[in-house]
Every structure is written in C-alpha cells, then in structure tokens.
Amino acid sequence: MKVLVFSTNGAIRDGITSWTIQNFGLMDRDGIEAVDTIAFDGVPDSILEQLNAAQIRTHILPSRRRRPIAYMHSLHRLVRQNKYDVVHINGNSGTVAIDLISCLGTGARARIVHSRNTQGRYGTLDKLLSPVMQNLCTDRVACGRDAGHWLFGTRTFTVIPNGRDFGEYSYNSETRRLVRCELGLSEENVAVGHVGNFNEAKNHKFLIETFALALGRNPDLRLFLVGDGALRTDAEAQARALGIEQEVVFLGRSARVPEFINALDIALLPSLYEGFPNVVIEWQISGLPSLVSTAVTDECAVTGLVEAIPAGDLYAWAERIACAVPVDRTSASRDAQQLLQAAGYEAREGAARLRVLYSAIALREELAASPS
C-alpha cells in the first residue's frame, strides 16, 4: 500500500502536521510501502526534518490557495505517477472537492476525507462543492463527532480521536519549578495560559479583555500566550492600550509547549469555534484545569478539569480566572490519564485505529479486485 496523506493547508506548524508526524511515526507500517505528504513553497526546514524523521516523504506543490489550477495539475500528476492506493485529505469544507477532482483518473481507488473543524471559511463555495465532495470520497473520517456532522451531515463516518503522547505531556514538578523560575514567576503568581494561533476563531481580543478584568481583582495573575499569527500585533496593541503589557507575555511559536503547560495554573480557550482542540487533551494529560467556551465541542471534556462558559460572558470568565488557585497536579495528571486512556486518546491507540482503517480499505479493494 502507498499512502498520500496531507492537509489542504499543506505542511505547516499546526495540529494536522503534528498529528501526521505522530501517527505515522508510531504506526505499524508493515505492508505500507510508502507514506508521502504535500507542502507548499516556504515550508520551514524544521517541519521537513520532522516529517523525514517519521519516514514521510514531502512533495512541494504550487500553493492551493494562490495557484489553484497549477496545484490541481500538479496533484493529479503526483498521484498518477506515484500510484498511491490511498489518498487521505484533511480539511474542513466542501472545497476538498478540488483535491478529489484532481485525483480522478489517477488510479487512486481509496479517497479519504478527514474532517478537522466545525466551521469553514468558504460559505458559498462550500455549499456548491459539498455534493461533489460527498460523491467523490470513498471514506469519511472525523477527529470528533461534531466535526463529522459539520462536514458529512447525516452520512456515516468514522471517528478517530486525536491521540497525544502521555509521556510528553505528563506533569513534572521539577519542570514546573524550572520554567516558572525562567518566566520570572513567584510562588504567589497565578500563571494563566493559552496555546493557539492568533486568528479570529481563537478569540484573543475577548481573552485579553477578560484577563484585564480579572487582573483588576487579582494583581498576582500573569498571562502567557503561546503562538503566532496575523492577529498577534493586534493583541499586543490591545494589551498596551489596556495598560497590562507587563502582565502579558507573548511567547510566540514554540517547541516547548509541554514545558510551558507545566508552569501554568489555569488555561483558557474562549474560541468562537473549534473542530477538536488537541490542546485541551494536552492540558488534561498534564492535570491542568482549563476554561473553554461552550462553542468548543464537549467531546474534549473527558475529565472534570474542563469547565465550559459561554464565550460572551466576560464577567463569568473574569470571576473564574481571578479565583484560580493551583491544584495537586501530580494526582490530577495521573487520574486524567486513566480516563483519557480509556477514551482512546493515547497516541499509540490513535495510530492503531488509523492503521485498522487502512487495513480495512486494503481488504475492501482486494475483494473488489478479485474474480467473483
């Protein structure tokens, strides 16, 4: 079996790329001859190195967004020449039809569409292309129940949870001590955190406004924002305008997310929409209490560490943040991992479920090809 697995965004520093590297790095690949993926111009060398380390070959194609026709021609040629048995596309709208159309006439008999969100940015185009997508895909997969219903409606789909490495995100008291010292935090400081790209969906404007209100009640609060994106400069300007730039730390994109999580006392995710937020699973693995908006799927609340509040309720969020106190993270992390393991959120379990899907596809194709 030869597999081409990719995101409609290409290989970038995001959850789908991390999922790809993790799953195929852990997967039993006996019987899988090759696993390839797609990136666009400008992909960071560090991502290419991680993909290569997971034995995933990367092909650079024209930008899907800026040069769609050239992209479609290149994708068609790639799939035809490499004779992939499985094309596995991660996306969140009917525009995945663009990728599926590109695969017509290539010999790729298995075409998986993997839903990754509960909302897309292409309203009209999504509605126009959704019927095409539904007809051209052979298998439907989703990272969660709500993401599946968003993209596939009443059609059947398979849920494969986004598993995480428990060892990487387990709470460590010594790491907490060292990182808090590095960040200049005292014993009295309550560290509030957020991990995510600076975009409209993540709702940073509300997050910072909420923090400012909570800070007025509890001056020991400090906010740490991990991530980058188009709206970061707006968030920095907002913090300055509110006079809280000394209490808000912008950490940028970082490979040290598990370390920073250890240092926090409470995490926030006031998103306007999400598919399935991997970061909430990571927070729970580490025994970290979190506040999420009610727009975030309740599937991610596997443990009692997650509390949901409507994203527009500024004062409820501020009250909860202002009253946050450290918990016994060691026991919270241990107990959470037991629940998460049972729910299928351990990384190796997720890789195994994906392998089962591929095996089922291979058997189906073998039976279809055999004489009746």
Side-chain angles (χ1 to χ4, degrees):
M1 181 188 297
K2 298 178 73 175
V3 177
L4 177 66
V5 55
F6 64 95
S7 164
T8 54
N9 291 323
I12 61 175
R13 203 181 306 279
D14 67 355
I16 297 176
T17 300
S18 297
W19 173 89
T20 303
I21 293 168
Q22 174 183 274
N23 275 268
F24 289 96
L26 294 172
M27 183 183 290
D28 173 8
R29 286 162 63 166
D30 183 36
I32 297 181
E33 179 183 344
V35 177
D36 293 0
T37 194
I38 289 171
F40 306 135
D41 291 336
V43 58
D45 289 340
S46 60
I47 291 179
L48 294 177
E49 290 168 2
Q50 291 176 56
L51 288 164
N52 185 60
Q55 297 183 309
I56 301 171
R57 183 172 56 175
T58 306
H59 300 273
I60 308 297
L61 299 190
S63 170
R64 183 179 185 271
R65 184 177 302 175
R66 295 192 301 272
R67 301 174 59 198
I69 302 302
Y71 167 77
M72 292 179 71
H73 283 304
S74 297
L75 179 57
H76 177 89
R77 184 169 55 250
L78 176 69
V79 177
R80 187 185 70 247
Q81 291 179 347
N82 286 282
K83 299 179 180 179
Y84 296 110
D85 302 286
V86 176
V87 176
H88 184 158
I89 309 166
N90 295 274
N92 62 3
S93 76
T95 63
V96 172
I98 292 170
D99 312 88
L100 293 168
I101 291 169
S102 304
C103 294
L104 292 175
T106 62
R109 298 180 63 183
R111 300 174 298 277
I112 302 170
V113 172
H114 197 147
S115 180
R116 290 295 184 171
N117 215 323
T118 56
Q119 188 166 328
R121 65 167 69 97
Y122 308 108
T124 302
L125 203 55
D126 172 60
K127 291 179 181 178
L128 287 173
L129 292 177
S130 184
V132 179
M133 176 201 69
Q134 305 293 1
N135 287 326
L136 292 182
C137 72
T138 61
D139 300 86
R140 301 175 181 87
V141 179
C143 61
R145 177 195 65 226
D146 292 347
H149 289 314
W150 154 253
L151 194 57
F152 306 125
T154 59
R155 295 171 178 83
T156 58
F157 56 88
T158 300
V159 173
I160 298 181
N162 293 337
R164 311 308 283 169
D165 183 343
F166 284 10
E168 182 178 8
Y169 290 96
S170 291
Y171 174 70
N172 184 290
S173 59
E174 180 61 12
T175 300
R176 175 181 172 85
R177 185 186 68 79
L178 292 172
V179 176
R180 285 180 68 91
C181 181
E182 176 187 339
L183 295 174
L185 292 168
S186 68
E187 287 293 327
E188 292 74 27
N189 286 139
V190 176
V192 183
H194 175 272
V195 180
N197 292 327
F198 283 76
N199 56 40
E200 183 181 357
K202 297 300 183 184
N203 206 11
H204 283 87
K205 183 177 180 181
F206 173 84
L207 190 158
I208 292 173
E209 185 178 0
T210 298
F211 176 77
L213 191 61
L215 185 65
R217 290 198 50 197
N218 183 354
D220 289 325
L221 296 173
R222 298 293 182 270
L223 176 62
F224 297 90
L225 302 174
V226 182
D228 209 343
L231 298 182
R232 174 173 170 172
T233 53
D234 291 348
E236 292 171 336
Q238 181 186 6
R240 288 193 297 272
L242 292 170
I244 59 172
E245 65 269 28
Q246 298 302 314
E247 289 79 24
V248 181
V249 180
F250 293 83
L251 294 170
R253 284 197 177 100
S254 175
R256 300 177 59 197
V257 171
E259 296 177 47
F260 290 132
I261 290 175
N262 275 278
L264 299 177
D265 296 301
I266 187 169
L268 312 179
L269 191 70
S271 300
L272 300 175
Y273 59 88
E274 290 275 355
F276 190 97
N278 297 335
V279 71
V280 179
I281 298 298
E282 295 164 3
W283 293 338
Q284 290 172 91
I285 294 170
S286 188
L288 177 64
S290 61
L291 297 183
V292 305
S293 77
T294 50
V296 173
T297 176
D298 60 6
E299 296 169 274
C300 68
V302 182
T303 75
L305 291 165
V306 183
E307 179 181 349
I309 302 176
D313 197 338
L314 182 69
Y315 292 98
W317 279 76
E319 174 74 17
R320 181 65 182 81
I321 296 166
C323 297
V325 294
V327 301
D328 180 356
R329 295 278 294 278
T330 300
S331 61
S333 177
R334 181 187 63 242
D335 295 346
Q337 288 180 41
Q338 292 178 354
L339 294 172
L340 290 161
Q341 176 88 41
Y345 287 101
E346 200 278 325
R348 292 186 183 278
E349 173 68 17
R353 292 189 184 195
L354 183 60
R355 186 65 179 88
V356 167
L357 173 67
Y358 287 165
S359 296
I361 288 172
L363 178 60
R364 180 187 72 203
E365 296 304 316
E366 183 180 337
L367 292 173
S370 64
S372 55

